[in-house]
Amino acid sequence: MLLNHLAADPRRAGAMGTAGRHRAVREFGWGAVARRTLDVYESVMELRKN
């Protein structure tokens, strides 16, 4: 089982945790949310031009 392997290898578990944190911040942090929100607003504004 994966959890047994991670429990036996704390360095790997830590690395996976760090990687997961970086991914979460990159994909779901305020910067990412702001970029997606701006993309939606720009799309709507472009549609309104036409």
Side-chain angles (χ1 to χ4, degrees):
M1 175 175 235
L2 178 62
L3 292 178
N4 291 335
H5 290 290
L6 291 177
D9 189 352
R11 285 180 61 196
R12 183 170 185 205
M16 288 179 71
T18 298
R21 168 81 176 145
H22 287 290
R23 180 178 179 205
V25 169
R26 184 179 67 245
E27 294 187 21
F28 305 110
W30 285 115
V33 171
R35 278 191 303 278
R36 286 195 296 272
T37 301
L38 183 58
D39 289 346
V40 170
Y41 287 160
E42 288 174 342
S43 297
V44 170
M45 294 304 292
E46 190 61 34
L47 288 173
R48 291 187 63 164
K49 283 184 187 179
N50 299 327

